[in-house]
Amino acid sequence: MQVNRLSHGGRINRARALSFTFNGRKYQGFEGDTLASALIANGVSLTARSFKYHRPRGIVGAGVEEPSTLVELMGNDASANRPVTTVPLKEGLIAKSVNCWPSPAVDIGAVNQLFARFIPAGFYYKTFKWPNWHVYEPSIRKATGLAGTPQEAPDQGHFEARYAHCDVLIAGAGPAGLLAALTVGRAGLRVMIADEGTEAGGSLLSRKLVIDGQPAMDWVAATVAELHDMPNVKHLQNATIWAYREHNYLMVNERAPENASLLERHWRVRAGHVITATGAIERGMVFGNNDRPGVMLASAVQTYVNRYGARPGKRAMIFTNNNSAYAVAADLAAAGIEIVAIVDSRDDVPEVARAVVPDLEVVAGSVVTQAQGLRRVRGVSVVPRSGGVSRTYSCDLLAHSGGWNPAVHLFSQSRSPLIYAEGPATFVPDTPAQSVSACGAAEGQFELSAALHSGAETAAELCEGPALTPPEGEDLAYAIEPLWRVEQATGKAFLDLQNDVSVDDVHLAIREGYANVEHVKRYTTGGMGIDQGKTGNINIIGTVALHQGIGMDEVGTTTFRAPYTPVSFGAIGGFRDESVVLPYRHTPLTKWNMDQGAFMYEAGARWRRPGYFPHPGEGLQEATNRECEAVRNGVGVYDGSPLGTFELKGRDVGKFLDYLYTNIMSSLKPGFGRYGLMLSDDGLILDDGVCLRLDEHRWIISTSTGHADAMNSHMEELLQTEFPDWNVFVTTVTSQWNNATICGPKARDVMVELGTDIDLSPEAFPFMTFRDGHVAGLPARVVRVSFTGELSFEVNVAPRHLRALWDKVLDAGSPHGILPVGSEASHVLRVEKGFLSLGHEVDGTVDPFDLGMGWVMSKKKADYLGKRSVHLRRDGPGVRRELVGVIPDPDRMIPEGAPLTPRGEKRPTEGFVTACVWSVVHKRWVGLALLENGHARHGETAQVRLKGGELIPVRVTPPVHYDPDGEKLRT
Amino acid sequence: MPYEATFDRLATQALFDLKGPARQLRDWVGELLPEFPEQANSGTMTGGKALYYIGLDHWLLRAELPEEQALIAELRPADAPPDISIVQISDTQAYFRITGSQADEVLAIGCPMNLHAREFGTGAASFTEFFGLRALVTRCDSGFDVAVEQSFGPMIEDYLNRALR
Amino acid sequence: MMNIPCPFCGPRNESEFSFGGPLKPDRPDPNATDDEQWVGWLTEVPNPHGPVQEKWWHVKGCGTWFTIWRDTRSHDIVEGPLDAG
Amino acid sequence: MQYRLDYYLPLVKNVPMKQSYSFLSLLRHGLNKHTTWTPAWRSLPLKDRYDVIVIGAGGHGLATAYYLAKEHGLTNIAVLERGWLGGGNIARNTITIRSNYMRDASIPFYVKSVALYEEMTQELNFNTMHSKRTMVDVIQNYPMMRDRRRRQHIMDIYGSTYKQLSPSQVRERIPALTGGGPDARLPIVGGYVHTDAAVNRHDAVGWGYARAIDALGGEIHQQTPVTQILRGTDGRVAGVETPRGVIRAPKVAVAVSGHTTTLTETVGLRLPLRTMNLTAFVSEPVKPLIDVIVNCPDAGFYLSQSDKGEMVIGGAPDFGQSFRRDIKQHVFEDTVTAMLSLFPSFKKLKLMRQWGGHLDIAHDASPIQDETDVPGLFVTAGWWGGYKAIPAGGLTLAHLVATGQPHPLMAPFTLKRFRHLEYVMETGTTTAR
């Protein structure tokens, strides 16, 4: 039974009843209801328990400001900590109160109320210290946290994030926002207007006002219709602008997109100008037990009655310090609710206010000191401010208004300052820091006609021509005398209902030295809840100001931070999810590799690469050994496509490469290649690779896979900013040239078998040269480089041909037992040869001399990147760690990264093992290490020290474990 | 279907990267190419060949793949003087075509550039971002062509399928 | 997400760019500089609480390197690459 | 270079407080309706001369003043704070305390800092809510596995714990971690657990120190910005200028994080530091779900659940120098998507608040603590992830200021290291520090 549903009125569809479940009981409401309005219509007043003391609580507000009743939604709607006032009712909705067990009516945690006296603000800083916090923590954690945690991702639908651009973004579709939109829309600007409510109208939805002689909502409907017909206007409802970033970049969360498969849409909007027409939020009065169910914000009571046809009580008291509550009283009375009296803290109540409720008792110059009743307000105690006897009024509803605060959150997030205005007794927008303006109630224009005027004028400043003549709105004049707290209050007077912060808590904080408003906020946790103190923060500031005898401006506000209201992480992420959460790159052979059952993993620069190609029953080690043996004894082939490749062209390429690399490149002859090393100007190793000279002016350079982008940036930066006069063009050709690298003693046989017009003899085609021609009938560039220490032919072709080449290579190599080779085997072959690897031996500290590559540091060149710094560092007192080979004795694997310490003692390290592999050549474990003064210690025994103190003696050797003279790769 | 749009992956396009002063490039290629566009991030088209002005002293020539060999023969990249650079890059890009009345809405999921006709109208062509990657976006008859580095092709296909679910 | 004015493409989202660090003085001749000057040049960058001239690369766009003056307190771009002065 | 092990033995010497905090004192004051509590720290008149001025009442400044008074008997000291005490980066971080570093230079320092944090509640008679809940690194790439493997052996030498976990052990520790399966974009390949890691209450650390400084006789002056550091004719530091007047002191220690260069430039000093913005955010509070610190270096985020139930989440810093405390949206979205890839159920969880802090990063990304070229002027800077370093950083700076010699734990981190470019490189090894 909807016992408190008014017989008529409201913007609900009485023809469509909706069933829902709250705290296990079934109820009915109507389409158009929120969960809050439906509960009120059903007479449910005890809806929550408070966070700390578990006091009984009801519904306080009607929108995002709701500080009191948070619910957890279940099922596919699952969502935690939702203000009950922001949950649109839908058929089958299941909700329950947070923070109480088993229910708000029978709440075990209510026992906390007995101890309330001993747990003031910050009590936990003073106790729970012995023996340590961790002992108490689990039980305390259980008591906190509000709603339960989401258990799984939504099983239906997905999220979407997108970009948008507009000339003007308007936040809020109330009277000011709509009129602003109409103004700029008619002027032809590209407009976006977003409003957090289910329908446009803002405050007009809740109030019985008249515009141009018609019901205000008729004007809203006509305006929305006109905007809808403008192709240059995008109008979103159910869409909250929750963040205002730098350069007018704003975030919008759209909760009910028209596309049914979308759960929510995240808009990132770049706006030329922003108009905040976000309205205002009512603040409460601060008196004893101001948290009892049935104590509600006056504007919320008005909303329930006018917009939802729901009656929050039958006998109402009004408590106010401003005029707006008089209109509420009038609307309530018109709906048949008995108004017992209006308590007004002002001595002089303006005539215009009294005039709207001529028949009601107004108790001026008085305050409510306490609400009576426990699970429901039963009455209020009222005393004159000047002193005198307390009088009790019986009621079941107390509608209170402490005045209005512009919703300045977005404006403030834009880094624009706020200023305290004495007239409206609140903080209002000051000078904008970005291209933003505020209008309507968000600017402090609380009366309808003023709001309409400010909407039209603010918008007119953005377009040419005169402002629209705003329609005439009739409204009660606003006037207020601020009252930040009732001094005569008895009982707990709450400033922040959500976090149970009372006036006493704030006074205690100040007494203990936590006097800055930021200290007050942190010590008491006031304003730190999910509602971020939308109704209470200014009363905290007022309480601090009163206690310290300073002005509101001196106290100042705390920072407004995004989000304005909580927003789901799913929406922020959009559908960048699952397989696309990070980029991935394929070569033309990736699919083939996967079809072969290769163990794939991510290598540098997001390439998906094969680690090894296991046969059935094989693990990493067996497969890797097999692949290594193929290369050392027969032939193998690997896909080297991801290597970064650049074509350089111009007269000054040689000069440029001489600056970039440590060795001399400019002397290279066409047809030849040369290995080189690049340093940063700090003298740290950046990258290595091979340069090929195609002809007088054209070169190809290769970089390591992982550093290709960084090298591109590095080269372009130097050329554009340091050497703009040099004639060098850089073009990335990584994906123009893919390659299959055939390596092993039989590599030449395979090349012959493939068929080529290139003379493959060592004399005609020596190591570190390249030839253009055809291989297996495909146009190819063949390069004789080697990253394995074996005879190698790197056959480069266009990617469109790579798969065909690969098949032919495998065919041609099959008589020799050719195997595809993965990254693991490449690593082993490299370590056997002592070739450096960027992720292993180059860890950001070594220089070429440390690696035994002093030969690559040209002495002839006066300058190149890193030269000065390498020598400066080597002149310093530091002991160098130098690359050595290590042979574990006895033979065993050493974990990569294991430290070496002097004599194996538990003391600072003298190096670490950079790599350790099973050598198929030596049939034992061999490794590489960086060791202090390592070059002078060949032949010594050093000690690897593992966690726990286990020692592994290792013989220190030169770093090349295989073919130290490099005869194989030159054959 | 959530959006009035579809996408196709196009076949490899013949692409040539042209760098250097427009005058020297024109001298080398003669009448072969469409007129060099004057306005940044726009293209011109003649006889199935498009020429996009994509950066300072930087152009991109696009044609259908069968034209590739003829273009190489005419452009003679290896013989071009040092003041200009001509590099064949056909294989470096994976091309997608997104068409339909809401093609712009789909683009806006991945592309932060202002795609409104006022800013990015007929003939517009620009490198920008698409689903986090560098991408060349050009307007086509009923939508957009988007090219990304070839190795990212499968990922963009993955993304577009998600966008159009 | 800043809106960075590229001299070739016009304003674009920051995510299209790569940050190149604050503009340092010209690299001194390493053969005509003492150790202290060299280390100072290498390791010290302008770090003003206010406008700083810094380098950006339009890596996802036209590939231009350019500089802007950005106020480190607000991210406001106080001078773009094409602004006079 | 030598690092001695005995420098990180825990040090316990409790400060006698005028008004002790305990369960009993709460009861006693409760009977007086809490009207009898006295201030945790006093507002004393500002003098024109002190023995030491510490600039900045953030974590490092307060810890320094505390140890100056407690360990070196220097009580004629003042901490000058531009805003409110405890309002620096100590109020804007993710409260992660750990010592899983990679270099000999770094590990013993952080081991010491962790030990000091563990004793802090008793030492300061102020509950810092130190929760030694361990940290689990969730590893999704083999190179990162190698990095962690390297750390575990060297950390062991200094008594810091690190132990490898299998993917299934990772999931047992973090049941909510349902992403990263075998078919995921980056499957979880293993993990490492660091049992020394902890979180605590950042406000309590700042307030606890402030109360102890007051008890020991030191002063803290809020709303006292330093506009200029002053030098004497002998070139030594002479004091500072503030809107409240000139304050003289023969020693001045700068502990102002991102604003270090702004202050040192007032005496013409340049330092190899740049200021960046690092942001973090929290979810709405939910019931206990995760009881360890989860660090996901390959995905690029870390999180822990606060005692209030909020998920506290951090990611990478913005590019570019910044004194603006707002999150860069794309950096933020990267962190969110990374988190959702491993915790897909968090799609329904909501963002509640976000903030940023200014940190200064040195050229080699390791901290700097030294006397500068201006005699008597000290800096402690470059604390990227400096929350965990607060107690040891204060201890070592107090040692340096009082004795003129670097504390052995900080010896590798002086400015002198740059003379020969002897960088301490801990970067490139994790995303989250």
Side-chain angles (χ1 to χ4, degrees), chain D residues 330-342:
Chain D
H330 53 302
V331 177
F332 168 58
E333 289 182 9
D334 285 348
T335 309
V336 169
T337 51
M339 175 182 75
L340 295 179
S341 71
L342 288 174

Side-chain angles (χ1 to χ4, degrees), chain A residues 662 675-677 685 688 834-836 847-858 883 935:
Chain A
T662 60
Y675 173 84
L677 205 59
I685 294 173
D688 66 345
F835 287 155
L836 74 94
D847 68 26
F849 294 100
D850 300 332
L851 298 173
M853 296 172 68
W855 53 267
V856 86
M857 299 275 292
S858 165
L883 186 68
H935 292 162

